[in-house]
Amino acid sequence: MVEAPGVQRGLEDVVALESRICFIDGLQGRLIYQGYDIRDLAAQSNFEEVAYLLWYGRLPTAAQLAELRERFGLLRALPPSLVDRIESMPPESNPMDVLRTAVSALALFEPEEAKPGASSIGGAQRLTAALPTIIGTFHRRRAGLPPLRARPELSQAAYLVYALVDRDPTELEARAIDVALILHADHELNASTFAARVTASTLSDLYSAVTSAVGTLKGPLHGGANERVMELLNEIGTTELAEAIIQEKLARHERIMGFGHRVYKVEDPRATILREWSRQIGEAKGNMRYFELLRKVEAVVHREKGLYPNVDLYSGSIYSLLGIAHDLFTPIFASSRVAGWTAHVLEEYQDLRLIRPTAKYVGPTDLTYEPIAARG
Ligand code: SDX
């Protein structure tokens, strides 16, 4: 579609604001959180430390990290009336719809005194602690698993695994999930973060901004891709069929989920790291099927379209091997990205400017109004 001059469809390459939270070098394939390279954070940090970094702009001391871990443990529990409502939601509901609804409802069922500084870092911590509990509460009821316990001794990564598969992860599994949470925590002005900032720019509250973000992340062109990658692998079945099936899809101009990116022109550095974790978890489980299938799909898509994998290509294979249900993959993405969403909302509050672009009007401007009686 040829654009009218000045229109940047999808706001592609439009620089909308200044931020200190995240830098993406799409040509070099670099991702930086508050000055730190994602490869260093994935190798040496943990999700709690990264959330602290995103919110405060600096790495925590040991005492500050211990305090944050303790707060996450304390803030995991939900108001009982909200638990009742989550458990009464239809079991066939899309978990992202449940998450969006429950985040919105949390603001109603959270007594003011329990809402730790609603639109501040306290609120950010509350929401970051609560999202895994929301997802786990819904999933356990539909799966007939015993009710969730807060388990304050567990890290966010270990708690997420416990919440979703009702067992404690092995050390390797916990590390794999922790790295996945680090890698998904922020990504500059992606669609869901932008939605959160638009909401915050009207001076609306943190809970509303995160509700906007959850609804946006659900889309298959954004966070929902990780679930559809697994559907694709199940459709392909074996590596021998990968070539033909991918070729057919490309011939029909279908999008292959997990590939391509608006900003990265080379491999997404998160895909590089998740590919290695997919291999390690596959080897530990004695099941390389997903990894080998993904490697084959990668080769065909890159050869035919010159496209690289993005963060969504390998994450689902790791979650699947841990026994996590496919429709919980995007909620896992959300339970990490909520740290980034809230960091951006707080940054918006600090340097507020209503976000309001314009549209180039291409419709008529001089029509004559006809009374309904004259319209036949
Ligand atoms: C995330 O923004 C972020 O940072 C997002 C994210 C984050 O951390 O928040 O990184 C997370 O959302 C990752 C992306 C997950 N989505 C998918 O994997 C869905 C599949 N990918 C595509 O839909 C697409 O690549 C997008 C949406 C990710 C980016 O699309 P763009 O920048 O709008 O690119 P485009 O649609 O203009 O495509 C350019 C060309 C087209 O070819 P032509 O029609 O010009 O011949 O590349 C083709 C597209 O058809 N193309 C693909 C493709 N992605 C682009 N062809 C096949 N399969 C694909 N996946």
Side-chain angles (χ1 to χ4, degrees), residues 45-56 58-60 64-66 68-70 72-73 76 128 153-159 175 178 181-182 339:
S45 188
N46 53 72
F47 175 70
E48 289 83 351
E49 191 173 72
V50 163
Y52 187 102
L53 173 65
L54 292 172
W55 291 326
Y56 291 93
R58 63 182 185 280
L59 290 170
Q64 290 164 336
L65 181 58
L68 181 59
R69 285 188 189 281
E70 185 183 3
F72 277 156
R76 276 177 186 149
T128 304
E153 77 282 6
L154 294 181
S155 67
Q156 284 293 96
Y159 177 67
R175 186 59 195 153
D178 203 14
L181 294 178
I182 291 170

Side-chain angles (χ1 to χ4, degrees), residues 126-345:
R126 196 310 176 247
L127 286 167
T128 304
L131 259 61
T133 307
I134 292 172
I135 303 162
T137 299
F138 170 71
H139 175 65
R140 282 171 169 261
R141 170 50 67 95
R142 73 173 183 177
L145 293 172
L148 258 181
R149 290 176 290 115
R151 303 287 306 274
E153 77 282 6
L154 294 181
S155 67
Q156 284 293 96
Y159 177 67
L160 197 59
V161 176
Y162 156 70
L164 303 184
V165 293
D166 194 33
R167 65 174 175 82
D168 288 358
T170 65
E171 199 173 313
L172 185 73
E173 289 174 331
R175 186 59 195 153
I177 296 298
D178 203 14
V179 170
L181 294 178
I182 291 170
L183 296 175
H184 285 85
D186 195 57
H187 214 240
E188 197 223 58
L189 284 193
N190 61 87
S192 54
T193 299
F194 190 64
R197 287 197 78 137
V198 169
T199 305
S201 78
T202 71
L203 272 182
S204 185
D205 65 290
L206 190 68
Y207 289 60
S208 296
V210 171
T211 301
S212 299
V214 173
T216 306
L217 185 72
K218 175 185 173 186
L221 295 189
H222 187 16
N226 57 12
E227 295 178 20
R228 283 160 185 76
V229 168
M230 299 316 289
E231 291 165 12
L232 173 66
L233 297 189
N234 290 335
E235 178 189 346
I236 294 173
T238 65
T239 48
E240 290 72 23
L241 295 176
E243 176 87 37
I245 291 175
I246 295 297
Q247 291 280 20
E248 283 164 19
K249 289 180 180 292
L250 292 175
R252 293 196 297 265
H253 298 290
E254 284 182 32
R255 297 299 172 96
I256 312 300
M257 296 291 117
F259 290 92
H261 199 277
R262 176 61 64 79
V263 179
Y264 290 117
K265 303 309 173 196
V266 293
E267 181 162 288
D268 182 335
R270 301 167 298 175
T272 310
I273 296 167
L274 287 168
R275 180 191 294 116
E276 178 53 21
W277 276 101
S278 175
R279 186 186 62 76
Q280 284 192 47
I281 294 293
E283 282 179 352
K285 301 286 183 182
N287 178 352
M288 298 303 285
R289 174 174 169 267
Y290 290 136
F291 179 78
E292 286 161 2
L293 257 176
L294 287 166
R295 292 297 283 151
K296 180 67 178 170
V297 171
E298 254 196 272
V300 177
V301 172
H302 188 64
R303 184 187 72 228
E304 296 299 320
K305 294 287 281 188
L307 290 169
Y308 294 94
N310 59 49
V311 69
D312 287 301
L313 187 65
Y314 283 96
S315 56
S317 61
I318 297 166
Y319 306 151
S320 272
L321 286 166
L322 268 65
I324 296 172
H326 289 182
D327 65 359
L328 299 177
F329 293 179
T330 309
I332 292 173
F333 191 149
S335 67
S336 163
R337 186 55 58 86
V338 61
W341 291 333
T342 50
H344 279 271
V345 165

Side-chain angles (χ1 to χ4, degrees), residues 89 92-103 214-215 218 331:
M89 290 176 185
E92 67 277 9
S93 303
N94 180 320
M96 283 298 281
D97 292 341
V98 170
L99 187 59
R100 186 196 65 235
T101 308
V103 166
V214 173
K218 175 185 173 186

